[in-house]
Amino acid sequence: MDYGLKGKTAVVTGAGGVICGVMSKELAKQGVKVALLDILEENARKVADEITAAGGEAIALKADVLDPKSLEEACSKVVEAFGGVDFLINGAGGNKRQATTSPEMDFFHLEADAIRWVFDLNVTGAILTTQAFGKELVKKGKGCVINIASMAGYLPLTNTVAYSAAKAAVANFTKWMAVHFNLNYSKEIRVNAIAPGFLLTEQNRYLLTNPDGSSTPRGEKVIAKTPMGRYGKPEELCGALMWLLSDDASFVTGAVIPVDGGFSAYWGV
Ligand code: NAD
Protein backbone atom coordinates (compact mmCIF):
# COMPACT_ATOMS: atom_id res chain seq x y z
CA MET A 1 0.00 0.00 0.00
CA ASP A 2 1.22 3.53 -0.78
CA TYR A 3 0.72 5.92 2.14
CA GLY A 4 2.14 8.95 0.30
CA LEU A 5 5.25 9.18 2.50
CA LYS A 6 7.90 9.00 -0.25
CA GLY A 7 10.75 11.50 0.15
CA LYS A 8 9.99 12.26 3.82
CA THR A 9 12.61 11.84 6.54
CA ALA A 10 12.04 9.81 9.72
CA VAL A 11 14.17 9.66 12.87
CA VAL A 12 13.61 6.39 14.75
CA THR A 13 15.07 5.83 18.24
CA GLY A 14 15.61 2.30 19.49
CA ALA A 15 15.95 1.41 15.81
CA GLY A 16 18.36 -1.42 16.55
CA GLY A 17 15.57 -3.16 18.51
CA VAL A 18 12.89 -5.57 17.43
CA ILE A 19 9.88 -3.28 16.93
CA CYS A 20 11.65 -0.19 15.66
CA GLY A 21 13.93 -2.20 13.38
CA VAL A 22 10.83 -3.59 11.65
CA MET A 23 9.21 -0.14 11.57
CA SER A 24 12.37 1.39 10.05
CA LYS A 25 12.47 -1.22 7.30
CA GLU A 26 8.79 -0.65 6.49
CA LEU A 27 9.31 3.13 6.41
CA ALA A 28 12.18 2.67 3.97
CA LYS A 29 9.97 0.47 1.77
CA GLN A 30 7.55 3.41 1.63
CA GLY A 31 10.38 5.60 0.27
CA VAL A 32 11.08 7.35 3.58
CA LYS A 33 14.69 8.29 4.36
CA VAL A 34 15.38 6.78 7.76
CA ALA A 35 17.86 7.86 10.45
CA LEU A 36 18.26 4.90 12.79
CA LEU A 37 19.35 5.95 16.29
CA ASP A 38 20.31 3.54 19.03
CA ILE A 39 22.61 3.46 22.03
CA LEU A 40 23.94 0.24 20.47
CA GLU A 41 25.10 1.69 17.18
CA GLU A 42 26.08 -1.67 15.70
CA ASN A 43 22.50 -2.94 16.01
CA ALA A 44 21.14 0.15 14.26
CA ARG A 45 23.82 -0.22 11.59
CA LYS A 46 22.78 -3.81 10.83
CA VAL A 47 19.23 -2.63 10.11
CA ALA A 48 20.49 0.37 8.10
CA ASP A 49 22.69 -1.95 6.02
CA GLU A 50 19.68 -4.17 5.29
CA ILE A 51 17.71 -1.11 4.18
CA THR A 52 20.43 0.20 1.88
CA ALA A 53 21.07 -3.29 0.45
CA ALA A 54 17.37 -3.39 -0.47
CA GLY A 55 17.69 -0.01 -2.26
CA GLY A 56 16.40 2.25 0.54
CA GLU A 57 18.03 5.30 2.14
CA ALA A 58 19.22 5.01 5.73
CA ILE A 59 21.90 6.17 8.13
CA ALA A 60 22.75 4.66 11.52
CA LEU A 61 23.77 6.94 14.38
CA LYS A 62 24.79 6.30 17.96
CA ALA A 63 22.54 8.29 20.29
CA ASP A 64 21.53 8.04 23.93
CA VAL A 65 17.96 9.29 24.45
CA LEU A 66 18.95 10.33 27.97
CA ASP A 67 21.82 12.55 26.85
CA PRO A 68 20.70 15.86 25.28
CA LYS A 69 24.19 16.50 23.85
CA SER A 70 24.21 13.17 22.06
CA LEU A 71 20.71 13.90 20.69
CA GLU A 72 21.74 17.36 19.45
CA GLU A 73 24.77 15.86 17.70
CA ALA A 74 22.58 13.22 16.07
CA CYS A 75 20.09 15.88 15.00
CA SER A 76 22.83 17.91 13.28
CA LYS A 77 23.99 14.79 11.43
CA VAL A 78 20.44 13.95 10.31
CA VAL A 79 19.88 17.49 9.02
CA GLU A 80 23.24 17.39 7.24
CA ALA A 81 22.43 14.04 5.62
CA PHE A 82 18.73 14.49 4.79
CA GLY A 83 18.06 18.25 5.01
CA GLY A 84 15.48 18.13 7.82
CA VAL A 85 13.10 15.96 9.80
CA ASP A 86 9.44 15.15 9.07
CA PHE A 87 8.76 12.29 11.47
CA LEU A 88 10.10 11.28 14.89
CA ILE A 89 9.39 7.79 16.24
CA ASN A 90 10.25 7.61 19.95
CA GLY A 91 10.82 3.88 20.15
CA ALA A 92 13.66 3.51 22.68
CA GLY A 93 12.12 2.02 25.80
CA GLY A 94 11.82 -1.09 27.85
CA ASN A 95 11.70 -2.72 31.24
CA LYS A 96 14.28 -4.16 33.63
CA ARG A 97 14.07 -7.32 35.69
CA GLN A 98 15.34 -5.46 38.81
CA ALA A 99 12.33 -3.09 38.59
CA THR A 100 9.86 -5.99 38.34
CA THR A 101 8.36 -7.87 41.28
CA SER A 102 8.73 -11.66 41.26
CA PRO A 103 8.92 -14.57 43.74
CA GLU A 104 12.63 -13.67 44.14
CA MET A 105 12.12 -9.87 44.34
CA ASP A 106 9.31 -8.42 46.44
CA PHE A 107 8.03 -4.86 46.03
CA PHE A 108 9.79 -3.64 49.20
CA HIS A 109 13.23 -4.56 47.88
CA LEU A 110 13.03 -3.20 44.33
CA GLU A 111 16.11 -1.10 43.65
CA ALA A 112 15.69 2.66 43.37
CA ASP A 113 18.22 2.84 40.54
CA ALA A 114 16.35 0.23 38.51
CA ILE A 115 13.02 2.02 39.03
CA ARG A 116 14.60 5.33 37.96
CA TRP A 117 16.20 3.66 34.94
CA VAL A 118 12.82 2.44 33.66
CA PHE A 119 11.14 5.82 34.19
CA ASP A 120 14.00 7.68 32.57
CA LEU A 121 14.31 5.47 29.51
CA ASN A 122 10.60 5.43 28.68
CA VAL A 123 9.47 8.91 29.75
CA THR A 124 12.44 11.26 30.03
CA GLY A 125 13.93 9.70 26.89
CA ALA A 126 10.82 10.49 24.83
CA ILE A 127 10.68 14.04 26.19
CA LEU A 128 14.38 14.82 25.61
CA THR A 129 14.28 13.34 22.10
CA THR A 130 11.20 15.41 21.24
CA GLN A 131 13.05 18.50 22.49
CA ALA A 132 16.01 17.76 20.23
CA PHE A 133 14.13 16.82 17.04
CA GLY A 134 10.85 18.68 17.61
CA LYS A 135 12.70 21.92 16.79
CA GLU A 136 13.14 20.62 13.25
CA LEU A 137 9.40 19.95 12.94
CA VAL A 138 8.72 23.49 14.16
CA LYS A 139 11.12 24.86 11.50
CA LYS A 140 9.08 23.09 8.81
CA GLY A 141 5.79 24.01 10.49
CA LYS A 142 4.56 20.44 10.12
CA GLY A 143 5.40 16.86 10.94
CA CYS A 144 4.53 13.96 13.21
CA VAL A 145 5.80 12.45 16.43
CA ILE A 146 4.87 8.86 17.30
CA ASN A 147 5.47 7.52 20.81
CA ILE A 148 5.35 3.85 21.70
CA ALA A 149 3.05 3.35 24.69
CA SER A 150 1.83 -0.02 25.99
CA MET A 151 -1.16 -1.92 27.33
CA ALA A 152 0.58 -1.52 30.70
CA GLY A 153 -0.27 2.17 30.52
CA TYR A 154 -4.06 1.62 30.31
CA LEU A 155 -4.33 -0.53 33.42
CA PRO A 156 -1.13 -1.53 35.21
CA LEU A 157 0.11 -5.06 34.62
CA THR A 158 1.08 -7.10 37.66
CA ASN A 159 4.82 -7.18 38.51
CA THR A 160 5.94 -4.39 36.14
CA VAL A 161 5.43 -1.52 38.57
CA ALA A 162 7.82 1.03 37.08
CA TYR A 163 7.16 0.10 33.45
CA SER A 164 3.37 0.35 33.85
CA ALA A 165 3.59 3.79 35.47
CA ALA A 166 6.15 4.94 32.90
CA LYS A 167 4.03 3.87 29.92
CA ALA A 168 0.98 5.62 31.44
CA ALA A 169 3.18 8.71 31.52
CA VAL A 170 4.15 8.17 27.86
CA ALA A 171 0.44 8.25 26.91
CA ASN A 172 -0.03 11.36 29.03
CA PHE A 173 3.02 13.04 27.44
CA THR A 174 1.63 12.20 23.98
CA LYS A 175 -1.49 14.24 24.70
CA TRP A 176 0.45 17.05 26.36
CA MET A 177 2.90 17.39 23.49
CA ALA A 178 0.12 17.27 20.85
CA VAL A 179 -1.63 20.20 22.49
CA HIS A 180 1.58 22.12 23.11
CA PHE A 181 2.71 21.99 19.48
CA ASN A 182 -0.72 23.05 18.20
CA LEU A 183 -1.26 25.89 20.67
CA ASN A 184 2.26 27.30 20.49
CA TYR A 185 3.87 26.43 17.16
CA SER A 186 1.79 24.92 14.36
CA LYS A 187 -1.61 23.41 13.70
CA GLU A 188 0.09 20.89 11.40
CA ILE A 189 2.31 19.09 13.86
CA ARG A 190 0.63 15.95 15.19
CA VAL A 191 1.68 13.74 18.11
CA ASN A 192 0.18 10.28 18.59
CA ALA A 193 1.11 7.01 20.21
CA ILE A 194 0.77 3.36 19.31
CA ALA A 195 0.00 1.06 22.24
CA PRO A 196 1.10 -2.44 21.24
CA GLY A 197 -0.52 -5.43 22.83
CA PHE A 198 1.66 -8.38 23.71
CA LEU A 199 4.45 -9.22 21.30
CA LEU A 200 7.00 -11.84 22.28
CA THR A 201 10.35 -10.02 22.17
CA GLU A 202 13.63 -10.12 24.10
CA GLN A 203 12.51 -7.59 26.73
CA ASN A 204 9.55 -9.70 27.91
CA ARG A 205 10.52 -13.25 26.95
CA TYR A 206 11.64 -14.02 30.55
CA LEU A 207 8.16 -13.09 31.78
CA LEU A 208 6.12 -14.94 29.16
CA THR A 209 8.11 -18.09 28.42
CA ASN A 210 10.19 -20.61 30.38
CA PRO A 211 13.76 -21.40 29.29
CA ASP A 212 12.40 -24.47 27.43
CA GLY A 213 10.06 -22.23 25.39
CA SER A 214 6.84 -23.31 27.13
CA SER A 215 4.43 -20.66 28.36
CA THR A 216 4.70 -19.27 31.89
CA PRO A 217 1.44 -18.87 33.87
CA ARG A 218 1.69 -15.15 32.96
CA GLY A 219 2.01 -15.99 29.26
CA GLU A 220 -1.06 -18.23 29.51
CA LYS A 221 -3.04 -15.39 31.13
CA VAL A 222 -2.02 -12.97 28.37
CA ILE A 223 -3.20 -15.33 25.64
CA ALA A 224 -6.44 -16.05 27.54
CA LYS A 225 -7.16 -12.30 27.78
CA THR A 226 -6.33 -11.60 24.13
CA PRO A 227 -9.54 -12.32 22.20
CA MET A 228 -7.49 -13.02 19.08
CA GLY A 229 -5.73 -15.77 21.09
CA ARG A 230 -2.11 -15.08 20.11
CA TYR A 231 0.85 -12.70 20.47
CA GLY A 232 1.16 -9.93 17.89
CA LYS A 233 4.01 -9.59 15.41
CA PRO A 234 6.05 -6.38 15.13
CA GLU A 235 4.99 -6.16 11.46
CA GLU A 236 1.39 -5.80 12.64
CA LEU A 237 2.19 -2.39 14.18
CA CYS A 238 3.25 -0.94 10.83
CA GLY A 239 -0.23 -0.32 9.38
CA ALA A 240 -1.13 1.94 12.32
CA LEU A 241 2.24 3.68 12.05
CA MET A 242 1.92 4.44 8.33
CA TRP A 243 -1.67 5.60 8.73
CA LEU A 244 -0.77 7.96 11.59
CA LEU A 245 2.09 9.45 9.56
CA SER A 246 -0.02 9.84 6.42
CA ASP A 247 -2.40 12.64 5.46
CA ASP A 248 -5.27 10.21 5.98
CA ALA A 249 -4.75 10.91 9.71
CA SER A 250 -4.57 14.71 9.21
CA PHE A 251 -7.14 15.37 12.00
CA VAL A 252 -5.74 12.78 14.43
CA THR A 253 -3.55 14.13 17.22
CA GLY A 254 -3.16 13.30 20.92
CA ALA A 255 -4.47 9.78 20.26
CA VAL A 256 -3.17 6.52 21.69
CA ILE A 257 -4.03 3.74 19.25
CA PRO A 258 -4.19 0.19 20.63
CA VAL A 259 -2.88 -2.54 18.32
CA ASP A 260 -3.52 -5.41 20.66
CA GLY A 261 -5.68 -8.23 19.31
CA GLY A 262 -8.53 -6.92 21.48
CA PHE A 263 -6.63 -7.11 24.81
CA SER A 264 -7.74 -3.65 25.98
CA ALA A 265 -11.37 -4.32 25.00
CA TYR A 266 -11.75 -7.46 27.09
CA TRP A 267 -12.15 -7.92 30.86
CA GLY A 268 -11.66 -11.65 30.43
CA VAL A 269 -15.32 -12.36 31.19
P1 NAD B 1 14.01 -3.81 22.17
O1 NAD B 1 14.68 -4.00 23.47
O2 NAD B 1 14.15 -4.83 21.11
O3 NAD B 1 14.43 -2.39 21.55
C1 NAD B 1 14.71 -1.27 22.32
C2 NAD B 1 15.92 -0.57 21.71
O4 NAD B 1 16.16 0.64 22.44
C3 NAD B 1 17.21 -1.41 21.79
O5 NAD B 1 17.81 -1.50 20.51
C4 NAD B 1 18.10 -0.61 22.74
O6 NAD B 1 19.48 -0.70 22.45
C5 NAD B 1 17.57 0.80 22.55
N1 NAD B 1 17.90 1.66 23.69
C6 NAD B 1 17.90 1.31 25.01
N2 NAD B 1 18.30 2.36 25.74
C7 NAD B 1 18.55 3.38 24.89
C8 NAD B 1 18.99 4.72 25.06
N3 NAD B 1 19.26 5.22 26.28
N4 NAD B 1 19.15 5.49 23.96
C9 NAD B 1 18.90 4.99 22.73
N5 NAD B 1 18.48 3.74 22.50
C10 NAD B 1 18.30 2.94 23.57
O7 NAD B 1 12.47 -3.57 22.54
P2 NAD B 1 11.16 -3.63 21.65
O8 NAD B 1 10.35 -4.78 22.13
O9 NAD B 1 11.47 -3.51 20.21
O10 NAD B 1 10.40 -2.31 22.18
C11 NAD B 1 10.39 -1.09 21.49
C12 NAD B 1 9.38 -0.17 22.18
O11 NAD B 1 8.09 -0.79 22.20
C13 NAD B 1 9.72 0.10 23.64
O12 NAD B 1 9.34 1.42 23.95
C14 NAD B 1 8.85 -0.87 24.39
O13 NAD B 1 8.62 -0.47 25.70
C15 NAD B 1 7.61 -0.84 23.54
N6 NAD B 1 6.71 -1.98 23.68
C16 NAD B 1 7.12 -3.27 23.47
C17 NAD B 1 6.20 -4.31 23.60
C18 NAD B 1 6.59 -5.73 23.37
O14 NAD B 1 5.74 -6.63 23.57
N7 NAD B 1 7.81 -6.01 22.95
C19 NAD B 1 4.88 -4.04 23.95
C20 NAD B 1 4.49 -2.73 24.18
C21 NAD B 1 5.41 -1.71 24.03
Coordinates of all heavy atoms in Angstrom, one line a residue, residues 14 16-20 38-40 63-66 91-94 121-122 148-150 163 167 196-199 201 203-204, ligand 1:
G14 N 15.8 3.7 19.2 CA 15.6 2.3 19.5 C 15.5 1.5 18.2 O 15.0 0.4 18.2
G16 N 17.7 -0.1 16.6 CA 18.4 -1.4 16.5 C 17.5 -2.5 17.2 O 17.9 -3.7 17.2
G17 N 16.4 -2.2 17.8 CA 15.6 -3.2 18.5 C 14.6 -3.8 17.6 O 14.5 -3.5 16.4
V18 N 13.8 -4.7 18.2 CA 12.9 -5.6 17.4 C 11.8 -4.7 16.7 O 11.7 -4.7 15.5 CB 12.2 -6.6 18.4 CG1 11.2 -7.5 17.6 CG2 13.2 -7.5 19.1
I19 N 11.0 -4.0 17.5 CA 9.9 -3.3 16.9 C 10.3 -2.2 16.0 O 9.9 -2.0 14.9 CB 9.0 -2.7 18.1 CG1 8.3 -3.9 18.8 CG2 8.0 -1.7 17.5 CD1 7.4 -3.5 20.0
C20 N 11.3 -1.4 16.5 CA 11.6 -0.2 15.7 C 12.5 -0.6 14.5 O 12.6 0.2 13.5 CB 12.3 0.9 16.6 SG 11.0 1.6 17.6
D38 N 20.4 4.5 17.9 CA 20.3 3.5 19.0 C 21.6 3.7 19.9 O 22.6 4.2 19.4 CB 20.3 2.1 18.5 CG 19.6 1.1 19.5 OD1 20.2 0.9 20.5 OD2 18.5 0.7 19.2
I39 N 21.4 3.4 21.2 CA 22.6 3.5 22.0 C 23.6 2.4 21.6 O 24.8 2.5 21.8 CB 22.2 3.4 23.5 CG1 23.3 3.9 24.4 CG2 21.8 1.9 23.9 CD1 22.8 4.2 25.8
L40 N 23.1 1.3 21.0 CA 23.9 0.2 20.5 C 24.0 0.5 19.0 O 23.2 -0.1 18.2 CB 23.3 -1.1 20.8 CG 23.2 -1.5 22.3 CD1 22.5 -2.8 22.4 CD2 24.5 -1.4 23.0
A63 N 23.1 7.2 19.5 CA 22.5 8.3 20.3 C 22.0 7.7 21.6 O 21.4 6.6 21.5 CB 21.4 9.0 19.5
D64 N 22.1 8.4 22.6 CA 21.5 8.0 23.9 C 20.4 9.0 24.2 O 20.6 10.2 24.3 CB 22.6 8.2 25.0 CG 22.1 7.8 26.4 OD1 20.8 7.6 26.5 OD2 22.9 7.8 27.4
V65 N 19.1 8.4 24.3 CA 18.0 9.3 24.4 C 17.9 10.0 25.8 O 17.1 10.9 26.0 CB 16.6 8.5 24.2 CG1 16.5 8.0 22.8 CG2 16.5 7.4 25.3
L66 N 18.9 9.7 26.7 CA 18.9 10.3 28.0 C 20.0 11.4 28.0 O 20.3 12.0 29.1 CB 19.2 9.3 29.1 CG 18.0 8.4 29.2 CD1 18.2 7.3 30.3 CD2 16.7 9.1 29.6
G91 N 11.0 5.3 19.9 CA 10.8 3.9 20.1 C 11.7 3.3 21.3 O 11.4 2.3 21.8
A92 N 12.8 4.0 21.6 CA 13.7 3.5 22.7 C 12.8 3.4 24.0 O 12.2 4.3 24.4 CB 14.8 4.4 22.9
G93 N 12.9 2.2 24.6 CA 12.1 2.0 25.8 C 12.3 0.6 26.2 O 12.9 -0.2 25.5
G94 N 11.7 0.3 27.4 CA 11.8 -1.1 27.9 C 11.7 -1.2 29.4 O 11.6 -0.2 30.1
L121 N 14.2 5.9 30.9 CA 14.3 5.5 29.5 C 13.0 5.7 28.8 O 13.0 6.2 27.6 CB 14.7 4.0 29.5 CG 14.7 3.3 28.1 CD1 15.7 4.0 27.2 CD2 15.1 1.8 28.2
N122 N 11.9 5.4 29.4 CA 10.6 5.4 28.7 C 10.0 6.8 28.6 O 9.5 7.2 27.6 CB 9.6 4.5 29.3 CG 9.9 3.0 29.1 OD1 9.7 2.5 28.0 ND2 10.6 2.4 30.1
I148 N 5.8 5.2 21.5 CA 5.4 3.8 21.7 C 4.9 3.7 23.2 O 5.8 3.7 24.1 CB 6.5 2.8 21.3 CG1 7.1 3.2 19.9 CG2 5.9 1.4 21.3 CD1 6.1 3.0 18.8
A149 N 3.6 3.6 23.4 CA 3.0 3.4 24.7 C 2.9 1.9 24.9 O 3.8 1.1 24.4 CB 1.7 4.1 24.8
S150 N 2.0 1.4 25.7 CA 1.8 0.0 26.0 C 0.5 -0.3 26.6 O -0.1 0.6 27.2 CB 2.9 -0.4 27.0 OG 2.7 -1.7 27.5
Y163 N 7.5 0.1 34.9 CA 7.2 0.1 33.5 C 5.7 0.5 33.2 O 5.4 1.3 32.3 CB 7.4 -1.3 32.9 CG 7.2 -1.4 31.4 CD1 8.2 -0.8 30.5 CD2 6.1 -2.1 30.8 CE1 8.0 -0.9 29.1 CE2 6.0 -2.2 29.4 CZ 6.9 -1.6 28.6 OH 6.8 -1.7 27.2
K167 N 4.8 3.9 31.2 CA 4.0 3.9 29.9 C 2.7 4.7 30.0 O 2.3 5.3 29.1 CB 3.8 2.4 29.5 CG 5.0 1.7 28.9 CD 5.6 2.5 27.7 CE 6.7 1.7 27.0 NZ 7.4 2.4 26.0
P196 N 1.1 -1.0 21.7 CA 1.1 -2.4 21.2 C 0.5 -3.3 22.3 O 0.7 -3.1 23.5 CB 2.6 -2.8 21.0 CG 3.3 -1.5 21.0 CD 2.5 -0.5 21.9
G197 N -0.2 -4.4 21.9 CA -0.5 -5.4 22.8 C 0.7 -6.3 23.1 O 1.8 -5.8 23.0
F198 N 0.5 -7.5 23.4 CA 1.7 -8.4 23.7 C 2.3 -9.0 22.5 O 1.7 -9.7 21.7 CB 1.2 -9.5 24.6 CG 1.0 -9.0 26.0 CD1 -0.2 -8.3 26.4 CD2 2.0 -9.1 27.0 CE1 -0.4 -7.8 27.6 CE2 1.8 -8.6 28.3 CZ 0.6 -8.0 28.6
L199 N 3.6 -8.6 22.3 CA 4.5 -9.2 21.3 C 5.5 -10.0 22.1 O 5.9 -9.5 23.2 CB 5.2 -8.2 20.4 CG 4.4 -6.9 20.0 CD1 5.3 -6.0 19.2 CD2 3.2 -7.3 19.1
T201 N 9.0 -10.5 22.6 CA 10.4 -10.0 22.2 C 11.3 -10.2 23.3 O 11.0 -10.7 24.4 CB 10.3 -8.5 21.8 OG1 9.8 -7.8 23.0 CG2 9.3 -8.3 20.6
Q203 N 12.7 -8.3 25.4 CA 12.5 -7.6 26.7 C 11.5 -8.3 27.6 O 11.4 -8.0 28.8 CB 12.1 -6.1 26.5 CG 10.8 -5.9 25.8 CD 10.2 -4.5 26.2 OE1 9.8 -4.2 27.3 NE2 10.3 -3.6 25.2
N204 N 10.6 -9.1 27.1 CA 9.5 -9.7 27.9 C 9.6 -11.2 27.9 O 8.7 -11.9 28.5 CB 8.2 -9.2 27.5 CG 7.8 -9.4 26.1 OD1 8.4 -10.3 25.5 ND2 6.8 -8.8 25.6
Ligands
NAD1 P1 14.0 -3.8 22.2 O1 14.7 -4.0 23.5 O2 14.2 -4.8 21.1 O3 14.4 -2.4 21.6 C1 14.7 -1.3 22.3 C2 15.9 -0.6 21.7 O4 16.2 0.6 22.4 C3 17.2 -1.4 21.8 O5 17.8 -1.5 20.5 C4 18.1 -0.6 22.7 O6 19.5 -0.7 22.5 C5 17.6 0.8 22.6 N1 17.9 1.7 23.7 C6 17.9 1.3 25.0 N2 18.3 2.4 25.7 C7 18.5 3.4 24.9 C8 19.0 4.7 25.1 N3 19.3 5.2 26.3 N4 19.1 5.5 24.0 C9 18.9 5.0 22.7 N5 18.5 3.7 22.5 C10 18.3 2.9 23.6 O7 12.5 -3.6 22.5 P2 11.2 -3.6 21.7 O8 10.3 -4.8 22.1 O9 11.5 -3.5 20.2 O10 10.4 -2.3 22.2 C11 10.4 -1.1 21.5 C12 9.4 -0.2 22.2 O11 8.1 -0.8 22.2 C13 9.7 0.1 23.6 O12 9.3 1.4 23.9 C14 8.9 -0.9 24.4 O13 8.6 -0.5 25.7 C15 7.6 -0.8 23.5 N6 6.7 -2.0 23.7 C16 7.1 -3.3 23.5 C17 6.2 -4.3 23.6 C18 6.6 -5.7 23.4 O14 5.7 -6.6 23.6 N7 7.8 -6.0 22.9 C19 4.9 -4.0 24.0 C20 4.5 -2.7 24.2 C21 5.4 -1.7 24.0

